[in-house]
Amino acid sequence: MKKVYARPKYLKKVHFHYCPGCGHSIVHRLVCELAEEMKIQDKLIGIPPPGCSVFTYNYIDTDFVESAHGRGAAVATGIKRACPEALVFTYQGDGDIAAIGTGETIHAANRGEKITAIFINNAVYGMTGGQMAPTTLIDMKTTTSPFGREKDIEGFPIKLSEMVALTKGAVYIERTTVNSPAGIKKTKKAIKKAFQVQMDNLGYSLVEILSPCPTNWKMREIDSWKWIDEVMVNEYPPGVIKDTTNEQKKKKPKKKGKKKK
Amino acid sequence: MTKKKGRIEIDQEYCKGCGICIHFCPKDSISPAGKLNASGYMPAAFNDNGKCTGCAICALVCAEASIEVYRG
Ligand SMILES: Cc1ncc(C[n+]2csc(CCOP(=O)(O)OP(=O)(O)O)c2C)c(N)n1
Ligand code: SF4
Ligand code: SF4
Ligand code: SF4
């Protein structure tokens, strides 16, 4: 029999520190698969956040620069401007990108920075013990909303991706899930497209991924995977939120010698 | 036409026993190993019931990248 699937080449042979059933490690694996398939491992520079994914650099075998909480887009901007040939991506939780890092993210997108954000939305502050995040759903119980989030007190779940999509510099924004075989395949396709947008120098790209956090949701692994489909997608519908790739490509001057007439 | 045959190998030490692969396997070809690993998890193991097609759904959903799939 032929081997048809094995641990990807650029996923280091170490144990993940993530909880069983966590979505972070699936997304890490997808980035490693793409690093190999798109032959970009030597171009990638990742920016991990404070959060459960703080040790992303221990797993994905490429270059990384750790950022302070929420500052990913600013760090990525500096690196990309200094090394325009690099493929620069931030890897951020919802507490990182949609709370303390909202300003950096929106302005980087608005400037049309040629960077990619991988945004893991698990609707809580995972690493610090499951506190309420701006993305927490109404009525969702967390350690700081023990009776459920109340809109009159804590406001509504924030739609960071939709907000970013309003900026002119944002070219490609998609929301996906990693709670099913189809969702995982779509997530890989979306990250691939986001990387391609950056490689084509078109502008800012972001992929928001609804990702299970069984520990802080206080669910069995499989129940947390199901909960995304049953509850979370109603607030955060998966799909392409913005894609102006074709318009941006038309704006780019065609290379000489390629025209037929 | 002969049906595609498959086989998987689960790294018992990398597996965290989340049971996600067991849930998604369409052929019921994975079950708990019955023996804890060094980290104290109950890992999943290939249950060779002759039905595995090597579809690799289990490897796709495994958060530990601990499954290798063979087909032929
Ligand atoms: C400036 C600053 N404020 C607060 C913290 C504490 N802190 C560490 S991680 C984190 C939130 C993590 O949540 P999220 O970004 O949703 O990622 P997850 O852990 O859920 O993947 C916070 C508040 C910090 N490290 N730095
Ligand atoms: S706390 Fe949640 S996000 Fe963090 S590793 Fe555990 S399951 Fe994953
Ligand atoms: S390859 Fe497919 S059929 Fe075989 S164990 Fe995995 S999910 Fe089941
Ligand atoms: S999905 Fe992976 S970690 Fe979870 S039980 Fe199966 S082999 Fe183990």
Side-chain angles (χ1 to χ4, degrees), chain A residues 17-24 52-53 122 124 126-127 211-216:
Chain A
H17 71 284
Y18 300 111
C19 312
C22 176
H24 273 302
C52 284
S53 54
N122 57 20
V124 285
M127 187 184 88
S211 174
C213 174
T215 301
N216 287 306

Side-chain angles (χ1 to χ4, degrees), chain A:
Chain A
M1 278 191 206
K2 222 176 81 195
K3 199 188 270 190
V4 292
Y5 190 88
R7 198 180 167 84
K9 182 168 146 193
Y10 296 125
L11 183 59
K12 295 183 197 172
K13 192 81 181 135
V14 287
H15 290 258
F16 284 120
H17 71 284
Y18 300 111
C19 312
C22 176
H24 273 302
S25 42
I26 295 182
V27 180
H28 288 10
R29 191 189 78 218
L30 298 180
V31 172
C32 293
E33 290 176 8
L34 288 171
E36 192 175 349
E37 288 165 29
M38 296 174 79
K39 300 192 173 64
I40 51 172
Q41 185 257 356
D42 57 345
K43 282 178 137 196
L44 280 174
I45 301 179
I47 325 279
C52 284
S53 54
V54 65
F55 295 132
T56 302
Y57 52 77
N58 281 343
Y59 308 122
I60 304 176
D61 189 6
T62 187
D63 291 327
F64 282 95
V65 178
E66 186 73 44
S67 103
H69 203 18
R71 307 288 101 96
V75 176
T77 297
I79 294 177
K80 182 70 183 188
R81 289 187 177 199
C83 315
E85 71 293 343
L87 218 173
V88 182
F89 71 100
T90 63
Y91 187 100
Q92 303 178 261
D94 47 296
D96 189 81
I97 200 171
I100 194 168
T102 315
E104 279 79 0
T105 304
I106 289 184
H107 287 288
N110 192 50
R111 294 191 305 268
E113 298 294 343
K114 277 82 182 169
I115 57 175
T116 302
I118 298 179
F119 160 22
I120 305 292
N121 185 357
N122 57 20
V124 285
Y125 289 90
M127 187 184 88
T128 44
Q131 293 86 353
M132 180 176 59
T135 44
T136 297
L137 306 184
I138 297 294
D139 294 333
M140 185 173 170
K141 288 183 181 150
T142 69
T143 48
T144 47
S145 59
F147 306 107
R149 179 177 186 161
E150 282 185 61
K151 67 172 169 45
D152 292 337
I153 299 173
E154 289 106 6
F156 296 91
I158 205 159
K159 304 272 182 78
L160 197 267
S161 297
E162 279 84 349
M163 286 160 63
V164 168
L166 291 174
T167 65
K168 275 202 174 166
V171 170
Y172 171 67
I173 315 268
E174 180 162 355
R175 183 183 289 121
T176 63
T177 67
V178 282
N179 68 334
S180 67
I184 293 168
K185 280 186 188 166
K186 272 192 195 155
T187 300
K188 183 171 172 183
K189 237 176 105 187
I191 298 174
K192 184 174 182 181
K193 172 141 182 180
F195 283 167
Q196 195 60 52
V197 164
Q198 183 179 159
M199 278 154 63
D200 294 343
N201 223 19
L202 301 181
Y204 182 88
S205 53
L206 178 148
V207 182
E208 173 182 345
I209 301 155
L210 307 184
S211 174
C213 174
T215 301
N216 287 306
W217 297 354
K218 305 203 174 1
M219 292 177 195
R220 284 180 56 229
E221 295 88 341
I222 189 62
D223 294 332
S224 72
W225 282 47
K226 288 182 185 165
W227 190 78
I228 290 179
D229 278 340
E230 289 162 4
V231 180
M232 210 176 169
V233 296
N234 300 324
E235 187 63 45
Y236 300 110
V240 176
I241 295 167
K242 181 175 188 185
D243 185 0
T244 58
T245 320
N246 290 336
E247 291 153 50
Q248 299 295 331
K249 274 188 187 157
K250 269 184 219 149
K251 277 192 211 153
K252 297 254 159 200
K254 289 219 173 75
K255 277 188 194 139
K256 276 181 191 161
K258 273 208 164 178
K259 264 191 182 168
K260 279 194 175 156
K261 272 189 251 174

